[in-house]
Amino acid sequence: MGDVVIRVLAVVTATCCLSAVPVHAADDGTEKLFTFRDPGITESSGLAVSPTHDGVYYTHNDSAASPTFYAVDGKGRTRAAFQVRGAQARDWEAMAATKDPETGRGVLWFADIGDNLDGAWPDISVYRVMEPQTLRSTALPATRYRFRYADGARNAEGIMINPRTGRLYVVSKEFAGSVYAAPKKLRTGRTNILRKVARAPIMATDAAYAPDGSSYVIRTYFSATLYRPSGETIAKVPMPELEQAESITYTADGTALLAGSEGPRSPVYRVPLPERATPTTT
């Protein structure tokens, strides 16, 4: 019930703020890319494009699930399911995918950062998993990084990693949301401190960096906003109507967004970016 009230209040506030930023036209060629077919994917909360396997997408379920993620093809069929060995899944809310600049291997990041009581957990965790080179169901080892906010615990549902710098960011889900930067170098032997560096839209449910690092996106239940790395707003992008809009990422070429939802057999939509936000080639 509380979550429903929050969403109602959020949509009222968001509607009042729509005129504050440029809005991308709704007739932009948005299309359904696929629907998750696996009955085990019931609360798709994170979404990422594989850095090394063409046409493969990753997702994971929300809270009360095992530390499992799924590799899915462009028709929504599960290619493999992976257990993250030794990990907890208190409230997995987001994921990101990057590429190791030294080895060229894909790296997957899973964020156990949900905290509906805004302080129930003394710290939060993000797991780093090397992307499997073969899409075959198995268990994979992970490196766990613990985090704490410099200004007190809060709920969050978005992580993103700047591909140019490798820096990790957490986006809080609040009426006055914020973007928090992790230390440049993450350490496993101690808690890493997250510090506020920018504002975020109200009730942010996910975030992602563009593949070339030229922009990032933060989505809410109702729309998505594009930003430059400095935090300057580029544009607001309408999102398709979804049962519970939870996930967002960029396509591999950075020209569009992929938006997903929780729920059984939930769809993933492709939403083209406005021209001023698409990557430029030289």
Side-chain angles (χ1 to χ4, degrees), residues 60 91-96 109-114 125-127 158-159:
H60 61 82
D91 195 351
W92 280 23
E93 287 289 356
M95 70 171 296
W109 303 79
F110 299 94
D112 196 357
I113 56 175
S125 297
V126 176
Y127 296 93
I159 63 164

Side-chain angles (χ1 to χ4, degrees), residues 142-165:
T143 300
R144 181 182 188 180
Y145 298 103
R146 288 183 169 85
F147 295 89
R148 179 170 54 82
Y149 299 94
D151 55 355
R154 58 205 62 248
N155 190 26
E157 292 192 4
I159 63 164
M160 55 187 182
I161 297 176
N162 186 327
R164 293 178 178 175
T165 65

Side-chain angles (χ1 to χ4, degrees), residues 8 13 42-43 77 80 114 122 143 169 172 177 193 201 207 266:
V8 171
T13 307
T42 58
E43 291 186 286
R77 299 173 299 198
T143 300
Y169 297 85
S172 67
I193 304 301
S266 58

Side-chain angles (χ1 to χ4, degrees), residues 58-268:
Y58 293 109
T59 191
H60 61 82
N61 284 320
D62 202 335
S63 58
S66 65
T68 303
F69 68 95
Y70 303 83
V72 177
D73 66 19
K75 293 185 178 180
R77 299 173 299 198
T78 295
R79 297 276 301 277
F82 301 95
Q83 301 290 318
V84 181
R85 193 161 58 231
Q88 291 181 298
R90 241 171 14 194
D91 195 351
W92 280 23
E93 287 289 356
M95 70 171 296
T98 58
K99 186 177 286 189
D100 188 308
E102 296 181 0
T103 66
R105 284 196 61 184
V107 182
L108 306 179
W109 303 79
F110 299 94
D112 196 357
I113 56 175
D115 188 348
N116 292 322
L117 298 180
D118 296 322
W121 315 117
D123 57 37
I124 57 176
S125 297
V126 176
Y127 296 93
R128 182 181 187 271
V129 178
M130 297 306 296
E131 183 182 21
Q133 294 178 301
T134 302
L135 298 179
R136 184 177 61 238
S137 298
T138 188
L140 300 170
T143 300
R144 181 182 188 180
Y145 298 103
R146 288 183 169 85
F147 295 89
R148 179 170 54 82
Y149 299 94
D151 55 355
R154 58 205 62 248
N155 190 26
E157 292 192 4
I159 63 164
M160 55 187 182
I161 297 176
N162 186 327
R164 293 178 178 175
T165 65
R167 197 161 195 170
L168 183 147
Y169 297 85
V170 174
V171 181
S172 67
K173 183 183 181 183
E174 304 171 283
F175 283 105
S178 301
V179 178
Y180 290 84
K184 291 182 179 180
K185 183 176 182 179
L186 300 180
R187 301 183 183 275
T188 58
R190 66 187 186 195
T191 302
N192 299 275
I193 304 301
L194 295 164
R195 302 186 186 281
K196 185 186 298 185
V197 294
R199 292 184 297 176
I202 64 171
M203 306 307 290
T205 60
D206 203 4
Y209 245 100
D212 66 352
S214 62
S215 66
Y216 65 86
V217 63
I218 301 177
R219 79 156 304 162
T220 68
Y221 288 121
F222 317 104
S223 66
T225 305
L226 299 167
Y227 300 88
R228 303 191 193 284
S230 64
E232 176 190 355
T233 299
I234 300 173
K236 190 177 286 288
V237 183
M239 291 283 102
E241 291 187 13
L242 296 168
E243 179 179 341
Q244 185 171 334
E246 286 282 340
S247 58
I248 199 161
T249 193
Y250 285 76
T251 55
D253 62 6
T255 63
L257 301 171
L258 300 179
S261 171
E262 289 191 355
R265 295 187 62 83
S266 58
V268 171

